[in-house]
Amino acid sequence: MKKGNSIQGNLIPLSFFLWLISFNLGLLFLLSENALAQSENTSSNIFGYYEGEFMPGNNLTLILHFQKSDDGETAGNILLFQGDSKIQDDPLSDIQFDGKQLNFSIETKNTPFKGVLSGDGQQISGEFQFPDNSVHAVLVTRVEKPSKGYTSGEEKRGDVLTQQYSVSQLQTDFNFLREHLEQTHPQLYLYTSKDEFDRFFDSTYATIQHEMTGEEFFRLIAPVIEKVHCCHTGIRPSKAYGERMKQSPAFLPLDIQFVDGKAYVITDYGQYLSVEKGIQVVSINGQPFKEILNRLMSSIPADGHNKTAKLFETNTNFSRVYSLYIGRFAQFQLECLQADDKKVTCTVPAFTGDELEVAEKKFHTDRFPGGALPLSLNINAMSSTAILKISGFWAPNPDDYIAFLQNSFDEIRSKNIRHLIIDVRSNKGGHPFFGAELLSYLAKSDFIYFEQPEEQPEIAPLYHPWPVKENAFNGDVYVLMNGGCLSTTGHFLSLVRYHKLGTLIGEESGGSFYCNDGSIQLTLPETGIQLNLPGVTFQTAVSGFKKGEPLLPDHKIAPTLDDLLNGKDAVMEYTLRLIKN
């Protein structure tokens, strides 16, 4: 979940621009297919920069940039500055332009825009609809180059993968990172004392003795970020790096997952005859997997000392996290262990980022759910069981989310369903209003969602009793969870546990009753590495929870190697057996 922070002050509606930033490291943004229908002549009319004041009186500068992408279509980007600090930098999707009408969406913020380009092509006017359903006017004027955040040629010259940064440049970025962490993060010293952090800062800084590439510096500072022990405090490479990696052969063409501390090949994206499905991988390019896992665990951010969130990220995104935190290679030599303990060696060529994404979508459709809403309902009248899947607490149109829940629970009641399974596995969070709305169909009495920080105007209802719905469910509730349950989903689970609203089944949650957010996005001035930096701590209205303690299920069920290889959902099957028995 996201909300305003001390830097933003009273910029209440602005907080909704910052919901749902996902630092799912390595994932690349794609343009919507809707943009492919635009003609060359029509699209070119919109190309260029547009700049203007946003939400007057709040010292905000809004910049829109439209350009031709490498495939000849229209790409776009939005930047938002408060003073000289960049607080937003996101791609635009679903760009639709017919020469006058202009529509697009900020997918990462679930914020659509509808507007027009003036007849002389010099101004764009229109409105953003924020996730809280509020509407905010936009008027930006075409400029040759924006007053903020502009670098000639958009990116620094040279190959971003090999460009070397001087010691002075790297020290500048490190000091920038340290200064903003120390000045802004609300719980920097919750798990690491100030003395220990100072020593870690100093010792890391002391290792900057020679030139480095951007990715080498990224790997140097990743353990610094991890030491904050906050899943909302994260870094990702520069935008130029991300674009370059789409065409760079650097990714292992295998889906590797950890089971009981050992690594196994679950899917062979390249269909190589030498790679056996289910084989254990002992090392990659001579590096033992124990060392690889230790490096990943010391680099991937997570709340507190939680390990399931890090394993979730690794198991669902191994090729990308390996490239980010371990290294890029044109080919990979794997030492493997067969079932009979015989060691074999396999060599596979690297995939480009684009090739990897195509393969992931082909073999893992569950990781790329379709539909306008991250919700689905399936009812089995014979077993009197309903399964409500909640993949995210967000929606392009909040009314659609609210209506879906209302219609779902109306149907559940009309069919006299006695058992409700709510599947929030892999739900990385979203807007707390949606979490509260779902709870209102499960609670037995009015409840309060947040108790900290002090009441904030933009989410004031969450600090007061939230009424239970008239058609609230009164049967047995089972909630499925795993390490991918972060932020708002952790809040939701903590309230389910505290109010005894259902049985929790699965693996330890990645999030719990508190998190740090209200984030701003900063860019390290030399390398362009992007930093997501929280400014506020949010805590649900519960007792009996301690920061750093795990939020555990009532029934711990984790998939086995056979489950993964055979596509078996062990957690769901266990829950259905529990209901039947």
Side-chain angles (χ1 to χ4, degrees):
M1 48 78 56
K2 307 273 181 194
K3 67 169 298 300
N5 54 53
S6 57
I7 292 181
Q8 294 167 332
N10 64 348
L11 308 183
I12 293 167
L14 176 61
S15 62
F16 291 100
F17 260 117
L18 302 177
W19 297 105
L20 297 168
I21 292 177
S22 174
F23 274 80
N24 196 8
L25 296 171
L27 288 179
L28 305 178
F29 296 109
L30 298 179
L31 296 174
S32 165
E33 291 184 358
N34 293 337
L36 299 179
Q38 302 177 66
S39 70
E40 174 76 20
N41 291 336
T42 298
S43 299
S44 63
N45 295 337
I46 199 77
F47 292 163
Y49 289 95
Y50 300 81
E51 180 175 328
E53 184 180 14
F54 184 61
M55 296 170 60
N58 289 313
N59 194 25
L60 295 174
T61 301
L62 178 68
I63 297 170
L64 296 177
H65 181 211
F66 297 94
Q67 61 183 325
K68 181 189 293 187
S69 65
D70 291 339
D71 58 9
E73 305 304 331
T74 300
N77 208 67
I78 181 171
L79 295 95
L80 189 66
F81 289 82
Q82 185 169 44
D84 292 325
S85 296
K86 182 166 64 175
I87 60 175
Q88 182 178 358
D89 184 353
D90 286 305
L92 305 179
S93 62
D94 296 329
I95 302 173
Q96 302 172 27
F97 179 62
D98 62 7
K100 180 178 180 181
Q101 298 290 328
L102 172 65
N103 298 333
F104 60 78
S105 178
I106 309 172
E107 185 175 355
T108 55
K109 310 297 186 295
N110 307 299
T111 300
F113 172 87
K114 293 184 178 180
V116 297
L117 178 68
S118 61
D120 60 5
Q122 295 304 302
Q123 288 189 325
I124 294 174
S125 59
E127 295 177 334
F128 282 118
Q129 182 180 7
F130 286 3
D132 66 341
N133 236 14
S134 61
V135 175
H136 300 274
V138 170
L139 178 62
V140 289
T141 301
R142 186 186 293 271
V143 294
E144 182 177 350
K145 65 179 182 179
S147 63
K148 303 175 186 292
Y150 178 81
T151 301
S152 179
E154 270 292 275
E155 303 292 347
K156 297 175 180 178
R157 300 296 183 186
D159 188 340
V160 69
L161 299 183
T162 59
Q163 179 180 351
Q164 296 283 326
Y165 295 89
S166 68
V167 170
S168 176
Q169 287 177 303
L170 299 173
Q171 289 173 337
T172 295
D173 273 8
F174 189 90
N175 289 332
F176 179 93
L177 174 69
R178 178 175 182 172
E179 176 183 349
H180 283 84
L181 282 172
E182 291 178 334
Q183 292 182 355
T184 303
H185 199 284
Q187 295 192 110
L188 184 62
Y189 307 116
L190 178 61
Y191 296 102
T192 304
S193 70
K194 186 178 186 308
D195 286 345
E196 184 180 353
F197 229 133
D198 285 345
R199 288 194 296 271
F200 194 62
F201 276 133
D202 293 342
S203 62
T204 305
Y205 182 87
T207 65
I208 306 175
Q209 298 289 336
H210 54 79
E211 290 186 343
M212 299 183 196
T213 63
E215 59 184 358
E216 289 171 336
F217 184 67
F218 180 95
R219 295 180 194 122
L220 176 71
I221 62 175
V224 175
I225 296 298
E226 189 276 338
K227 215 167 185 62
V228 182
H229 298 295
C230 167
C231 75
H232 287 85
T233 306
I235 53 173
R236 59 181 174 185
S238 69
K239 291 177 63 178
Y241 181 92
E243 288 297 316
R244 181 72 170 80
M245 291 298 286
K246 289 181 180 181
Q247 303 300 322
S248 176
F251 298 100
L252 183 68
L254 303 172
D255 174 28
I256 291 180
Q257 297 193 35
F258 288 89
V259 180
D260 296 329
K262 297 179 180 179
Y264 298 92
V265 175
I266 305 302
T267 307
D268 173 9
Y269 296 140
Q271 302 293 282
Y272 302 107
L273 296 177
S274 60
V275 181
E276 177 185 344
K277 185 177 180 181
I279 197 169
Q280 181 184 346
V281 183
V282 179
S283 69
I284 298 180
N285 291 341
Q287 184 176 20
F289 239 101
K290 183 177 181 180
E291 291 182 11
I292 293 173
L293 182 59
N294 288 340
R295 177 66 182 180
L296 295 179
M297 293 300 101
S298 66
S299 300
I300 298 174
D303 284 339
H305 301 292
N306 186 285
K307 292 183 179 179
T308 57
K310 298 183 179 190
L311 283 172
F312 172 84
E313 185 68 26
T314 301
N315 284 342
T316 57
N317 212 13
F318 181 81
S319 296
R320 297 185 189 279
V321 298
Y322 181 90
S323 176
L324 271 177
Y325 298 117
I326 306 298
R328 288 184 298 108
F329 300 95
Q331 67 177 20
F332 301 88
Q333 186 177 70
L334 284 69
E335 184 182 6
C336 303
L337 193 65
Q338 294 179 326
D340 59 2
D341 289 336
K342 179 182 179 182
K343 286 188 176 182
V344 296
T345 300
C346 322
T347 301
V348 295
F351 269 16
T352 66
D354 283 346
E355 289 171 336
L356 178 62
E357 183 159 11
V358 169
E360 288 172 331
K361 289 186 175 181
K362 176 182 177 181
F363 290 99
H364 301 293
T365 55
D366 58 311
R367 299 180 189 175
F368 301 89
L373 290 173
L375 302 156
S376 65
L377 176 69
N378 291 289
I379 292 180
N380 186 328
M382 293 293 293
S383 63
S384 192
T385 300
I387 300 175
L388 179 61
K389 174 66 177 176
I390 311 283
S391 300
F393 288 111
W394 54 265
N397 184 346
D399 289 340
D400 292 342
Y401 199 107
I402 293 169
F404 185 95
L405 288 180
Q406 180 177 333
N407 294 335
S408 295
F409 281 93
D410 282 344
E411 183 178 0
I412 287 170
R413 170 163 287 200
S414 69
K415 294 183 177 179
N416 296 314
I417 298 301
R418 299 194 308 272
H419 311 288
L420 173 60
I421 299 173
I422 300 177
D423 188 354
V424 293
R425 289 175 295 176
S426 309
N427 181 338
K428 294 187 175 182
H431 200 304
F433 276 107
F434 294 133
E437 187 73 4
L438 177 57
L439 281 165
S440 69
Y441 286 99
L442 308 177
K444 310 305 179 186
S445 61
D446 296 354
F447 61 92
I448 296 175
Y449 193 92
F450 276 142
E451 69 175 12
Q452 289 185 9
E454 294 183 3
E455 183 175 314
Q456 303 293 308
E458 65 267 40
I459 54 173
L462 298 175
Y463 294 85
H464 301 278
W466 192 285
V468 176
K469 301 294 185 188
E470 292 183 2
N471 61 340
F473 183 70
N474 57 11
D476 297 324
V477 176
Y478 306 85
V479 183
L480 311 189
M481 56 193 278
N482 65 5
C485 296
L486 306 176
S487 196
T488 291
T489 311
H491 295 159
F492 169 78
L493 291 171
S494 74
L495 289 161
V496 169
R497 165 65 55 78
Y498 176 69
H499 291 288
K500 299 180 173 62
L501 302 180
T503 301
L504 303 182
I505 302 174
E507 300 173 86
E508 176 187 343
S509 173
S512 186
F513 72 106
Y514 85 97
C515 74
N516 305 302
D517 209 341
S519 302
I520 59 173
Q521 298 169 65
L522 301 173
T523 300
L524 274 58
E526 298 295 341
T527 59
I529 292 172
Q530 298 171 77
L531 167 68
N532 194 71
L533 181 59
V536 184
T537 301
F538 296 89
Q539 186 169 312
T540 53
V542 298
S543 60
F545 290 76
K546 293 183 179 179
K547 293 178 180 178
E549 289 188 350
L551 202 170
L552 299 172
D554 299 304
H555 299 258
K556 182 180 179 180
I557 305 295
T560 65
L561 177 59
D562 285 341
D563 293 334
L564 295 172
L565 294 175
N566 296 307
K568 179 181 176 182
D569 189 343
V571 178
M572 182 64 74
E573 291 187 9
Y574 175 89
T575 306
L576 293 172
R577 288 197 304 271
L578 195 64
I579 291 172
K580 183 178 180 180
N581 296 332

